[in-house]
Amino acid sequence: MGEGTFGQVLECWDRESREMVAIKVVRSVKKYSDAAMIEIDVLQKLARNDVAGKHCVQIRNWFDYRSHICIVCEKLGPSLYDFLRKTGYRPFPIDLVRQIGEQLLESVAFMHRLQLIHTDLKPENILLVSSDYVKLPDPKDGSFSRKLPKSSAIKLIDFGSAAYHHQDRSYIVSTRHYRAPEVILGHGWSYPCDIWSVGCILVELCSGETLFQTHENLEHLAMMERVLGPLPRHMLERADQHAEKYVRRGRLNWPEGATTRESIRAVLKLPRLQNLVMQHVDHSAGDFIDLLKRLLAYEPSARLTAEEALSHGFFSRYGDRRSL
Ligand SMILES: Nc1ncnc2c1ncn2[C@@H]1O[C@H](COP(=O)(O)OP(=O)(O)OP(=O)(O)O)[C@@H](O)[C@H]1O
């Protein structure tokens, strides 16, 4: 069902419970086995606290097979990334973005209440519960070629990088595109780094494209400034020894520090957040833009918490319609 540096996820038939399950078979390398044991611990804690099992993938069992840690979980559907990829990166309608966004924030709020930070939220780690989809008429030509999930129900997976609030929080976290500015600038991080990732994910669902498509720190920060406005001086001035080279006289060293002309062009090509959203959303665009600005606030302490975000007008002003 999936493959990575950690090992493989296999679809299996559980003869005792008579159901299909997903088994994560971890490579027999100490680094990965240790991470898997942490993931098991987190999955068990989540399961104990989420009796209805609606926020996160449910662990069924685990065992050690010839020094491969195997984690047995309920079988879920495709990831949001897989769904987008298979449908040609076609943006999701705003009502679907709202339903997914609300559940995502509920799951993040649930983790944060348990003092857990996911640290690797991205469309690959958000799975649709069901693989069923509906075909809808394409507004352009009327053909039934537009695929959407039949149900918007989602759950989080991949707790291998989850961290407790009280742990050391100085190392680099998150997959590049979903990484918060305080992580890049080496300020240390906490719950707000998950919220930044949620902001990036919601933009991606509504546009079909990764918001910050980059592989380099300075270019990444320049992209943020292009979409969201200038980074505050006090944040730039607090950059650690690895990041101080991105700052000159209290501002981002851009475009002077760019490595190529393509890089400058890639940044210039990006629209402001407001324009980006307006290109894809008709109704409720105002509420959506306001929510995104608060999820993508540079200053971590100014960013909404998951709980606060759930009370935002983008969710409260519209009815809850789980299935389309
Ligand atoms: N319960 C599940 N049901 C269905 N598919 C799953 C399930 N768990 C994992 N997968 C698939 O396997 C992939 C890898 O799983 P997971 O993200 O847990 O591994 P990982 O080591 O953390 O991967 P990564 O290298 O992306 O961090 C997922 O992206 C998903 O496609």
Side-chain angles (χ1 to χ4, degrees):
M1 306 190 84
E3 214 166 336
T5 40
F6 68 95
Q8 295 183 43
V9 177
L10 306 175
E11 182 180 23
C12 300
W13 173 248
D14 184 330
R15 285 186 297 196
E16 277 173 21
S17 65
R18 305 192 60 77
E19 62 169 348
M20 295 305 288
V21 290
I23 305 189
K24 186 163 171 171
V25 183
V26 179
R27 283 170 59 193
S28 62
V29 173
K30 187 172 178 332
K31 184 168 77 167
Y32 299 116
S33 303
D34 289 350
M37 293 313 294
I38 294 173
E39 180 159 24
I40 291 166
D41 184 60
V42 171
L43 281 166
Q44 288 176 335
K45 183 175 174 118
L46 294 171
R48 277 197 304 276
N49 288 278
D50 180 12
V51 185
K54 61 179 180 156
H55 297 301
C56 304
V57 67
Q58 295 294 294
I59 184 168
R60 298 269 192 257
N61 203 344
W62 73 273
F63 52 89
D64 184 327
Y65 180 74
R66 297 183 183 169
S67 60
H68 290 278
I69 304 286
C70 299
I71 311 176
V72 186
C73 289
E74 65 176 323
K75 186 194 150 194
L76 298 170
S79 72
L80 293 183
Y81 176 74
D82 286 334
F83 197 93
L84 273 174
R85 187 171 49 84
K86 284 187 195 139
T87 50
Y89 300 97
R90 214 176 158 148
F92 284 171
I94 192 66
D95 290 327
L96 182 56
V97 176
R98 177 179 300 108
Q99 290 162 17
I100 290 176
E102 190 168 24
Q103 296 173 77
L104 181 54
L105 284 161
E106 277 166 2
S107 303
V108 173
F110 163 71
M111 287 192 73
H112 289 184
R113 278 198 298 277
L114 297 174
Q115 303 200 339
L116 274 166
I117 310 167
H118 188 288
T119 81
D120 198 16
L121 293 171
K122 54 181 174 179
E124 289 91 327
N125 286 339
I126 305 168
L127 265 48
L128 288 160
V129 172
S130 160
S131 311
D132 297 345
Y133 58 85
V134 287
K135 279 188 170 174
L136 295 178
D138 190 318
K140 282 188 215 121
D141 57 11
S143 66
F144 280 75
S145 60
R146 183 148 201 228
K147 275 191 200 168
L148 285 177
K150 193 165 179 188
S151 159
S152 63
I154 51 152
K155 289 192 188 186
L156 298 184
I157 63 158
D158 193 359
F159 301 91
S161 329
Y164 282 98
H165 178 64
H166 51 77
Q167 275 173 240
D168 165 43
R169 286 177 280 111
S170 53
Y171 52 95
I172 294 283
V173 282
S174 310
T175 299
R176 156 71 65 194
H177 314 303
Y178 308 92
R179 188 174 295 155
E182 66 272 20
V183 179
I184 301 175
L185 292 169
H187 295 173
W189 45 268
S190 184
Y191 303 110
C193 79
D194 279 344
I195 302 297
W196 179 274
S197 307
V198 171
C200 297
I201 294 166
L202 295 187
V203 175
E204 183 165 339
L205 298 181
C206 105
S207 72
E209 282 171 41
T210 314
L211 176 57
F212 300 120
Q213 184 56 56
T214 174
H215 299 286
E216 203 244 311
N217 283 339
L218 180 59
E219 185 184 81
H220 194 172
L221 294 168
M223 286 182 162
M224 288 180 188
E225 289 207 330
R226 178 85 187 158
V227 176
L228 302 163
L231 279 146
R233 191 182 177 115
H234 70 271
M235 279 187 74
L236 290 171
E237 285 176 341
R238 269 183 58 219
D240 73 355
Q241 58 193 35
H242 304 289
E244 63 187 12
K245 56 181 175 288
Y246 309 131
V247 183
R248 219 166 139 232
R249 296 201 201 96
R251 55 175 277 280
L252 201 64
N253 186 24
W254 188 269
E256 298 80 5
T259 45
T260 61
R261 266 195 224 152
E262 286 70 47
S263 173
I264 298 176
R265 267 201 291 272
V267 171
L268 282 175
K269 222 172 62 188
L270 278 170
R272 304 277 302 164
L273 181 70
Q274 172 131 0
N275 297 338
L276 198 163
V277 171
M278 298 291 270
Q279 283 167 19
H280 299 282
V281 182
D282 40 20
H283 68 281
S284 66
D287 275 326
F288 189 43
I289 293 164
D290 186 77
L291 172 69
L292 290 173
K293 281 188 180 156
R294 293 165 196 267
L295 298 176
L296 296 170
Y298 286 132
E299 183 63 64
S301 60
R303 226 168 276 158
L304 289 180
T305 64
E307 209 69 65
E308 286 164 352
L310 285 164
S311 312
H312 190 274
F314 178 64
F315 300 112
S316 59
R317 266 194 268 282
Y318 307 85
D320 182 22
R321 291 189 289 130
R322 277 282 142 88
S323 56
L324 296 171

